Amino acid sequence: MNKRIYNIFAIVLLALFFLPVIWKLKQWDLAILLLGGLALPIYDFLNPVDDK
């Protein structure tokens, strides 16, 4: 359970880092790339792979 809380905390920090940059961008192509960079860890968090 602690690992899941740490992962949520890391995603929130990443979002707090990216969102002001995305908000100020005037180029939509770069904003889409940054949103994709934020979506990848969220997808990885929601669909974990159990390493054995």
Side-chain angles (χ1 to χ4, degrees), residues 11-44:
I11 290 173
V12 168
L13 286 178
L14 184 65
L16 288 175
F17 176 76
F18 273 152
L19 289 179
V21 176
I22 293 170
W23 189 260
K24 295 288 183 180
L25 277 177
K26 301 213 187 306
Q27 298 174 338
W28 286 102
D29 54 346
L30 293 176
I32 290 169
L33 285 174
L34 287 174
L35 285 173
L38 185 59
L40 287 174
I42 293 171
Y43 174 78
D44 190 37

